[in-house]
Amino acid sequence: MSNQLILNKKIVNNDWVFLLPVIEQKEVKKQAGKVVMFKVTGENFPEDDDLNKIKLPDVSKILLPLKLYLLRKDEIEKKYSEVGLWLYSHEDFQWLSNLNLDLNKFSVIGIYIEKFADGRIYSLGNLIRRKLKFKNDLRALGDILKDQLFFLDRSGFSSFLIKEGRSAEEAIKGLSDFSHSYQATLDEIPSWRKNLNG
Amino acid sequence: MYKYNQIDQNIVNERVAQYQDQLNRFLKKELTDEEFRPLRLQNGLYIQRHAPMLRVAIPYGLLSSVQLRTLADIADDFDRGYGHFSTRQNIQYNWPKLEDTPKILKKLADVEMHAIQTSGNCIRNITTDPFAGVSPDEVIDTRYIAEILRQWSTFHPEFALLPRKFKISISGSKSDRALIKTHDIGLELIEKNQDLYANIYVGGGLGRTPMIGVLMKELLPIKHLLSYCESIIRIYNLYGRRDNMYKARIKILVKSLGINDFKRQVEADWDNGNASPNMLDDNEIKRVKVFFTSPDYEILESQELENLYSDNKSFVNWLKRNTRPHKQLGYRSVTISLKGKYQSAPGDILSNQMRAVADLADQFSYGEIRSTHEQNLVLADVKETKIYELYESLITNNLAEANIGLVTDIICCPGGDFCSLANAKSIPIAKNIENLFDDYDYIYDLGSISLNISGCMNACGHHHVGNIGILGVDKDGSEWYQITLGGQQGNEASLGKVIGPSFSEEQVPGVVKKILDTYLSLRNDDSELFIDCFTRIGIDPFKQIIYQEEA
């Protein structure tokens, strides 16, 4: 797993361990006409059984799947000094919202995408900041390249774990691809109210 | 028309630099094909059969003469001396070299143009009525709202990678000329007690699963337009299918949730828009609106052109078909046909013709040109006293084909000759149909009728809404054509019905001829248009004649 972290527009030493469960692939038949949360590639994601079997590594700071945390909360809180949570991009925002979890208890919340083209991450970031009022570090995980950074930053993300094998020095430049934006997001104001238009 | 300020100019300049960097990384193999693909697509670059294809944005179809001359230069310097106007009011080049594309984008940026979001899974070019601002039936001039939406949708960070492409169209007239019911979002602007509102249609679209959009929200105050669209697209971004590209458009989500549940989710997110940072205020609307005020029209009298030139039948025919009334007395809007014997394919235009049109726009129409989704060009503000002079210049440039709205005004995608998605060729089909008609009287007698051809079910030729629609299909590796009848655009938008088993390339012109002859023999009189006749008699009479004789 990559260890190149960009945090608050700087490349930093990453002392968080990102736990990504590896699971067996099962074939799933999709029901026609039924709306379910679709993953980009159709692979499985871990069921409770899988999550219960995971051996928790002996480290101090760990980023865990939200569902794993919910299942084994006591054990996890006892074991680690600091816990961050992450969601798969197909996990439902409404579900997260209804958990009534105090997200600000956690110093990091991450969203993981398997594929670059998975744009759900942007809306999830926006909603977690805007609707759930998350104040701490929001981290992009997975297939994260230079070319998403400008948009992720504007969608509320404050840190980026750059994909294995890609240069973080190169990627960080993506944050300044554009000096202006038209529309507002989060607590920005749109270009037309910035009075830059003469 | 809209003029860039420093922010607009910086954004397109920085985009050129960003794209140059992405291309360099791809050429150095720092980006894989799969990674480069969405990046190049969002800059209008396709990899086609013969070469890359570059699609350049013409926001809501509005061009200046300076821009059109630059498009002509690009055609000469980087392509084969022509360009192709698409059904989304954009222009495409079929033969650029990959390495040249940043240079082309630089040239475009110099004249306030770009190729941003002309392809890929993002919000595409905003389209509207080509007669916005000049049509007598207009209620609201849509151009400033289109420009506001263009800015808002450009690099919207949340919607950079949607499940699939997303198209928005706006109409502000009594009759819809912007196909709003076949767009992902269709906006109908209306005025009530001097306040501006939008009716919002959602989930329309052509393609593999054609659907007519549903009216989702009535009388939305215009200040909430951006936040409401954001909530629609946010729900789509989160819940639209991503596992199957054929089921990924918003129409599939709206259909499977049902409009009520979809609306409930959207409005829960929207929360009356009051917290949105993108609420429009009067200042912003005013700032953009001033770019679209009417030119200083002269006070003129209406001309009886038909009577004045009654001995010139060709001119009168052209006048009737290719010009339309203007809101200002003494002016008309002129459509320049890009269809017919002088054009190598519907929507194609040579570089010298582009320059000629640019000159004519300067001379006769305040230096502005509009492109239409029917793949023609419009000079919107021509004095009636100058119409004949303009007509003569168009003849000299082989641009005076008098066929707007007639059967030879064929709407057609590039098809299998260029496009790697196509199942079948479409341009030769258009040409063969065109060749059926050497008799202008027959064409004029047929009257208004739309004929649309798509080379595959992606429906770039909008075949579902053609009175006659032709769709290229693949049957065991050979090219066949399915014909639909009775589609139409506008307020009564409807999708065509399949007439029956498909035909070979050779059969198509004959079948089209039979359809037209059947109409001529069954219509009440020459005031009953093809579509009205079809609505009255249905598909059966056509079916019988075609398949009985084929059998």
Side-chain angles (χ1 to χ4, degrees):
Chain A
M1 194 49 65
S2 156
N3 212 32
Q4 308 182 84
L5 185 70
I6 297 174
L7 171 69
N8 297 326
K9 314 206 171 185
K10 287 191 191 78
I11 300 167
V12 298
N13 184 37
N14 180 20
D15 50 2
W16 285 88
V17 171
F18 167 46
L19 181 89
L20 178 69
V22 182
I23 40 152
E24 241 178 279
Q25 298 300 307
K26 290 171 234 160
E27 196 175 327
V28 199
K29 292 230 165 80
K30 279 164 201 129
Q31 249 177 292
K34 193 186 162 209
V35 178
V36 288
M37 295 317 125
F38 289 100
K39 297 191 70 196
V40 179
T41 51
E43 283 109 340
N44 301 317
F45 55 101
E47 311 272 343
D48 291 1
D49 265 5
D50 303 310
L51 294 172
N52 277 322
K53 278 185 227 151
I54 288 176
K55 187 184 176 313
L56 296 173
D58 298 326
V59 293
S60 59
K61 291 163 96 176
I62 191 158
L63 270 172
L64 295 170
L66 171 59
K67 278 202 173 133
L68 175 65
Y69 171 80
L70 295 174
L71 276 173
R72 297 163 65 179
K73 191 168 169 226
D74 293 344
E75 181 191 352
I76 287 167
E77 289 188 342
K78 207 177 291 169
K79 187 171 170 78
Y80 298 109
S81 59
E82 242 186 308
V83 175
L85 302 181
W86 63 267
L87 286 101
Y88 288 94
S89 59
H90 59 270
E91 284 181 299
D92 184 18
F93 176 75
Q94 219 43 61
W95 166 78
L96 172 68
S97 184
N98 293 342
L99 291 175
N100 287 321
L101 208 60
D102 178 12
L103 290 187
N104 285 316
K105 246 177 49 186
F106 303 91
S107 48
V108 182
I109 298 288
I111 312 281
Y112 170 76
I113 53 169
E114 213 164 72
K115 292 275 175 202
F116 176 86
D118 187 351
R120 288 176 292 199
I121 188 169
Y122 303 115
S123 285
L124 286 169
N126 179 295
L127 289 169
I128 287 172
R129 286 291 191 207
R130 202 163 43 87
K131 301 241 165 167
L132 302 185
K133 313 280 182 211
F134 179 62
K135 301 272 191 297
N136 304 330
D137 184 19
L138 186 58
R139 185 163 302 180
L141 305 163
D143 197 1
I144 304 296
L145 305 179
K146 177 184 188 180
D147 311 279
Q148 291 131 308
L149 260 48
F150 182 77
F151 297 133
L152 286 169
D153 176 41
R154 297 200 65 221
S155 300
F157 288 85
S158 42
S159 66
F160 315 92
L161 190 63
I162 301 302
K163 185 181 182 174
E164 185 81 66
R166 304 305 163 98
S167 141
E169 284 78 18
E170 181 65 24
I172 198 167
K173 295 182 206 154
L175 285 169
S176 41
D177 272 349
F178 296 96
S179 48
H180 293 103
S181 295
Y182 286 117
Q183 62 300 100
T185 61
L186 303 164
D187 54 356
E188 303 170 28
I189 53 169
S191 64
W192 59 83
R193 252 175 253 137
K194 285 177 193 156
N195 221 3
L196 288 163
N197 299 321
Chain B
M1 66 187 277
Y2 186 72
K3 287 264 162 282
Y4 277 15
N5 59 34
Q6 202 51 51
I7 293 181
D8 302 298
Q9 193 63 52
N10 285 349
I11 286 175
V12 293
N13 292 348
E14 286 164 349
R15 173 55 150 191
V16 177
Q18 183 195 40
Y19 173 76
Q20 174 83 65
D21 168 67
Q22 290 167 343
L23 179 65
N24 290 348
R25 283 152 62 213
F26 172 68
L27 295 174
K28 284 193 288 184
K29 304 215 187 308
E30 291 171 16
L31 283 174
T32 63
D33 276 345
E34 196 191 354
E35 287 161 351
F36 185 52
R37 191 170 176 277
L39 301 175
R40 66 170 163 77
L41 283 177
Q42 302 223 346
N43 232 320
L45 191 74
Y46 285 76
I47 302 298
Q48 294 285 53
R49 298 217 160 169
H50 310 289
M53 181 270 276
L54 181 70
R55 182 181 294 149
V56 174
I58 302 176
Y60 38 94
L62 204 53
L63 273 173
S64 70
S65 54
V66 174
Q67 292 174 328
L68 187 54
R69 283 189 197 98
T70 299
L71 294 176
D73 292 346
I74 291 170
D76 284 339
D77 297 347
F78 300 102
D79 206 273
R80 298 190 179 174
Y82 74 98
H84 171 79
F85 281 96
S86 78
T87 53
R88 287 200 65 69
Q89 302 178 287
N90 292 322
I91 187 166
Q92 303 180 170
Y93 295 105
N94 283 312
W95 306 94
K97 290 197 189 71
L98 186 62
E99 292 75 7
D100 283 340
T101 48
K103 284 185 237 162
I104 300 177
L105 295 178
K106 173 74 179 63
K107 269 189 119 85
L108 291 169
D110 290 344
V111 292
E112 306 183 359
M113 294 186 84
H114 58 77
I116 296 165
Q117 291 168 217
T118 53
S119 179
N121 297 335
C122 52
I123 304 175
R124 302 288 191 88
N125 186 28
I126 311 291
T127 55
T128 189
D129 181 0
F131 300 103
V134 298
S135 185
D137 76 336
E138 182 167 276
V139 183
I140 306 292
D141 183 347
T142 51
R143 292 173 298 173
Y144 64 94
I145 298 294
E147 174 59 27
I148 288 170
L149 283 165
R150 179 193 76 82
Q151 297 190 11
W152 161 80
S153 62
T154 298
F155 300 135
H156 195 301
E158 220 187 309
F159 309 134
L161 292 162
L162 295 170
R164 196 79 178 84
K165 58 188 168 184
F166 201 92
K167 300 175 177 180
I168 303 177
S169 182
I170 319 169
S171 167
S173 293
K174 292 199 180 85
S175 56
D176 167 29
R177 287 176 291 271
L179 304 171
I180 59 168
K181 289 179 192 166
T182 51
H183 277 76
D184 297 288
I185 291 180
L187 302 171
E188 181 183 21
L189 302 183
I190 36 189
E191 201 173 48
K192 215 174 145 187
N193 305 327
Q194 279 152 23
D195 286 321
L196 192 52
Y197 297 88
N199 285 338
I200 300 193
Y201 291 82
V202 72
L206 300 174
R208 190 174 287 249
T209 319
M211 285 185 204
I212 298 291
V214 191
L215 180 59
M216 169 171 177
K217 183 80 176 169
E218 276 184 275
L219 289 176
L220 177 78
I222 208 71
K223 66 176 179 180
H224 294 310
L225 182 65
L226 302 181
S227 63
Y228 202 88
C229 287
E230 267 173 8
S231 291
I232 291 176
I233 303 173
R234 181 173 298 129
I235 295 301
Y236 168 59
N237 188 34
L238 288 172
Y239 302 120
R241 289 184 64 163
R242 288 173 181 264
D243 62 326
N244 178 342
M245 71 175 284
Y246 301 118
K247 293 184 175 163
R249 295 287 290 271
I250 193 174
K251 60 193 170 190
I252 307 289
L253 179 68
V254 171
K255 185 132 193 272
S256 60
L257 289 175
I259 187 68
N260 293 330
D261 192 27
F262 179 74
K263 181 174 175 175
R264 184 190 55 73
Q265 293 195 33
V266 167
E267 298 210 340
D269 178 78
W270 179 57
D271 196 18
N272 293 310
N274 292 320
S276 169
N278 287 316
M279 199 190 298
L280 283 170
D281 55 31
D282 290 344
N283 285 340
E284 166 62 1
I285 291 177
K286 226 181 281 166
R287 179 184 80 82
V288 180
K289 201 173 174 178
V290 292
F291 290 102
F292 301 97
T293 44
S294 291
D296 293 328
Y297 293 122
E298 290 174 35
I299 305 300
L300 300 169
E301 280 175 31
S302 179
Q303 302 287 308
E304 297 289 330
L305 291 171
E306 244 179 89
N307 296 338
L308 273 168
Y309 294 93
S310 56
D311 53 340
N312 186 339
K313 194 175 150 202
S314 310
F315 173 70
V316 171
N317 281 337
W318 178 84
L319 182 73
K320 280 189 192 159
R321 296 310 319 186
N322 293 40
T323 74
R324 69 194 298 280
H326 196 286
K327 66 176 187 189
Q328 180 75 22
L329 201 66
Y331 285 79
R332 289 185 84 75
S333 298
V334 171
T335 303
I336 300 170
S337 172
L338 300 184
K339 321 290 177 66
K341 55 183 174 294
Y342 297 111
Q343 258 45 46
S344 59
D348 277 10
I349 182 168
L350 299 170
S351 57
N352 59 15
Q353 290 178 315
M354 290 188 218
R355 291 191 185 93
V357 172
D359 292 346
L360 294 174
D362 283 340
Q363 205 181 336
F364 296 106
S365 194
Y366 300 97
E368 283 183 19
I369 303 100
R370 292 137 183 248
S371 56
T372 76
H373 72 77
E374 289 95 351
Q375 304 174 286
N376 294 312
L377 295 177
V378 166
L379 299 180
D381 302 288
V382 184
K383 285 181 201 163
E384 288 183 330
T385 50
K386 297 285 185 184
I387 289 248
Y388 189 79
E389 201 183 326
L390 168 62
Y391 171 70
E392 288 199 310
S393 304
L394 289 172
I395 293 179
T396 331
N397 290 290
N398 292 331
L399 286 167
E401 191 71 8
N403 63 351
I404 298 306
L406 296 175
V407 71
T408 53
D409 186 7
I410 298 172
I411 295 170
C412 178
C413 70
D417 294 302
F418 296 101
C419 179
S420 45
L421 301 173
N423 287 325
K425 293 186 288 293
S426 52
I427 295 168
I429 301 295
K431 285 285 146 191
N432 289 339
I433 292 174
E434 221 172 80
N435 292 338
L436 281 176
F437 310 109
D438 45 8
D439 176 4
Y440 277 89
D441 288 335
Y442 180 83
I443 300 175
Y444 291 122
D445 187 33
L446 283 170
S448 294
I449 181 168
S450 57
L451 199 158
N452 299 48
I453 308 173
S454 305
C456 73
M457 61 289 262
N458 288 312
C460 296
H462 300 168
H463 64 276
H464 301 107
V465 291
N467 297 165
I468 299 176
I470 300 177
L471 165 67
V473 289
D474 173 86
K475 268 206 236 170
D476 306 323
S478 62
E479 299 181 1
W480 290 78
Y481 297 87
Q482 183 185 72
I483 295 189
T484 49
L485 295 180
Q488 63 180 317
Q489 55 164 303
N491 297 20
E492 305 298 318
S494 60
L495 305 170
K497 295 186 180 69
V498 177
I499 189 164
S502 48
F503 305 96
S504 68
E505 181 177 345
E506 294 70 38
Q507 287 173 308
V508 171
V511 172
V512 169
K513 185 73 169 42
K514 268 180 212 159
I515 292 168
L516 297 172
D517 288 339
T518 306
Y519 154 66
L520 288 177
S521 66
L522 295 176
R523 70 182 177 187
N524 284 333
D525 56 54
D526 62 9
S527 72
E528 189 181 46
L529 297 180
F530 178 88
I531 187 67
D532 300 327
C533 176
F534 178 86
T535 308
R536 179 173 57 82
I537 65 178
I539 203 163
D540 289 338
F542 294 95
K543 224 179 213 170
Q544 272 164 24
I545 286 170
I546 286 158
Y547 291 100
Q548 163 205 336
E549 291 179 26
E550 289 294 322

